[in-house]
Structure formats: C-alpha cells, structure tokens
Amino acid sequence: MSLLPVIIVGLVVIAVLFFVPFALRLLVRLALFLIPVAIAAAGIAMIMNDETIFERPGADQRVIRFVTMNSAAASASGDGSVTCRMGIQPNAVATSAAPATKRHAAKQAPAKPPDSTRRLEPASTPAPPDDVFPELIRRSFPGIPRQKLFQLSQDTINSLGGWKIVKADSRDSTIDCIYTSRIFKFEDDVRITVQPSGEIDVCARSGLARPDATSILRYFPGDIGASVGHIKQFYEALEPKMDEVYKQAQDQQNAKKPH
C-alpha cells in the first residue's frame, strides 16, 4: 500500500488546522476594520447630503430608508415610502420656447381654469402612519403664476452648487436636473414639475438606479439619504425667493390703499 495518499491527507489536515484559525482571525480583524469605516463613510455622506437620522420620523425609520431606498418624491403627507420612477435621464441641454402642503398653504390663490398637464405620479408602497419626513412634504405657492414659479425654480437650480439643468420644458413646466457630488462625482437625477395649482413636485433618485447603470454599486439598494437631501435642498433654496415674491405683492397692495 502506497503511503502517498496518507501523506497528502495528513498535509491537508495540518494545513487546515494551521490556516483556518488564521483565516478566521483575519476575517474578524477585517470586519472590525471595515464596519467602522462603513459607518464613518455613511455618516460623512449623510452630512454632505444635509441629512441626519435624528429628525422625524425617528432614527430607526431614517436609517432603514437611507440604506434600502435610492429614490424619493415629495407628497402631500411627506410619506417616506413614496419613491419616483424616471426613465433614462437626458444628457443634453434642451431649450424650451390638496391635502396639507407646507408653509405657504394658508395663502389663497385666485380661481383659475385648470389646464391640461401631465403630473409625475410617484410610486408608493405601504408605510406606517408615522413614516413622515418633513423635508418630503410637497410645497405649494398659490397665487403665483405657473410661469413665474417655473422661472424661479430654474433660477433656484442655477444658484445651487453641483446642480445642472439638462432639460427644461415650458409646455408642462418640468425641469430635469443632474446633481454631481463634490468628492466622488456621483450623479443623481432630480425632476421638478410645477403644477397649475401652484404645487411644486420634486422627485429625486440615485444615478445608480438608472435603467442603464453599469456600476457594481448599483446593487447597493440605498443612497444614504441623498435623494431626500436633494429635495430638501431645493425647497429650502426656493422658499426665500417665493417669500420675496409674496412680500412684493403685499407691498404693491399696500401702496394702492388710500392713506
């Protein structure tokens, strides 16, 4: 009987006994290194997106959303489960010939006949009643003409760093934008639609969620709050401009009153 098979088996056993503990220790050390790095990277990303886990609806809901969802859309209720669906974003610049809403809803708009327009309908999945993100509550600016809102929305985008308008369609008052992150140069898509009612819909998604995305990162389901952050940034930059418009209108009304 040859001793060669026995020797081979013995060498394999010795190798396993020697290397497996080393491999396990290596994996544990690697995990202990990568987990804090991942947490730090996620924290930096959320700070860059001007997002935090310490606001409504709470840390649990925010963490789950930020790591499992890569798009967001404003809605009347600010429901965190609402997402948006867009096709392949255009990459060339094109020229262009209800329930509670936030902050400006108390201002009354003059009655106007509705005009036909397509509305970006967000896709929604069931969510708990307390899954409300304040930054996702749709803003409404009644009393301001639609074309004025459309122009001010473009002015707002042009004033934001990293934002670029790739298509502005005055026929349905829709603006498609691309946001490019400062450090990693990731691209995200944002679509803004001005409604005849004075509501402004905002929908954002990670560029990794595009149908034609090829990066291996597309398999990661979350965007670390980027989509929510883009919507928040746009509304926060837009509202002072709208306040100024309302103030000017009020000043004009006051000037017409007899002294």
Side-chain angles (χ1 to χ4, degrees):
M1 179 179 177
S2 175
L3 294 178
L4 182 60
V6 176
I7 294 174
I8 293 176
V9 171
L11 291 175
V12 170
V13 171
I14 292 173
V16 169
L17 291 176
F18 179 79
F19 285 108
V20 166
F22 172 76
L24 289 176
R25 289 196 300 270
L26 180 62
L27 289 175
V28 170
R29 291 177 180 177
L30 188 61
L32 292 176
F33 171 75
L34 291 179
I35 290 175
V37 169
I39 293 175
I44 293 172
M46 283 189 289
I47 292 173
M48 291 177 61
N49 294 325
D50 194 23
E51 283 299 320
T52 175
I53 62 173
F54 302 110
E55 296 181 2
R56 291 181 57 197
D60 292 344
Q61 293 95 322
R62 283 184 172 265
V63 169
I64 291 173
R65 194 193 200 289
F66 291 169
V67 300
T68 62
M69 302 178 71
N70 55 19
S71 71
S75 64
S77 63
D79 193 335
S81 68
V82 178
T83 61
C84 70
R85 295 172 182 170
M86 289 185 277
I88 298 175
Q89 188 79 335
N91 54 17
V93 177
T95 57
S96 60
T101 51
K102 193 171 182 181
R103 188 174 179 178
H104 296 276
K107 300 182 176 72
Q108 298 298 318
K112 293 183 179 180
D115 58 346
S116 59
T117 183
R118 68 175 175 85
R119 183 181 188 121
L120 178 65
E121 291 296 341
S124 176
T125 55
D130 60 346
D131 189 24
V132 176
F133 287 66
E135 55 266 64
L136 296 181
I137 297 176
R138 182 189 300 125
R139 308 310 200 259
S140 179
F141 304 95
I144 301 178
R146 190 183 190 191
Q147 187 58 38
K148 180 70 171 178
L149 292 174
F150 181 65
Q151 183 58 54
L152 288 174
S153 295
Q154 293 183 80
D155 294 343
T156 299
I157 296 166
N158 291 330
S159 70
L160 296 174
W163 290 59
K164 179 182 178 181
I165 296 175
V166 296
K167 182 180 179 182
D169 191 342
S170 61
R171 292 170 298 179
D172 56 8
S173 298
T174 297
I175 308 169
D176 287 327
C177 318
I178 289 179
Y179 170 83
T180 304
S181 62
R182 293 188 295 272
I183 297 178
F184 300 108
K185 303 303 179 182
F186 291 145
E187 289 187 351
D188 297 333
D189 301 324
V190 184
R191 175 169 294 168
I192 297 160
T193 305
V194 180
Q195 302 299 334
S197 62
E199 292 178 324
I200 298 183
D201 290 317
V202 185
C203 175
R205 74 169 180 194
S206 169
L208 299 173
R210 294 171 181 167
D212 59 345
T214 58
S215 171
I216 192 173
L217 293 176
R218 70 186 186 277
Y219 295 109
F220 180 70
D223 63 6
I224 318 298
S227 297
V228 177
H230 299 330
I231 295 173
K232 174 183 178 181
Q233 184 182 18
F234 172 77
Y235 278 145
E236 287 187 345
L238 177 69
E239 285 185 324
K241 298 181 184 297
M242 299 305 179
D243 288 339
E244 183 63 26
V245 172
Y246 282 122
K247 182 178 182 300
Q248 291 176 359
Q250 185 62 50
D251 290 343
Q252 291 175 0
Q253 290 292 331
N254 293 338
K256 294 178 182 179
K257 295 179 180 178
H259 293 81

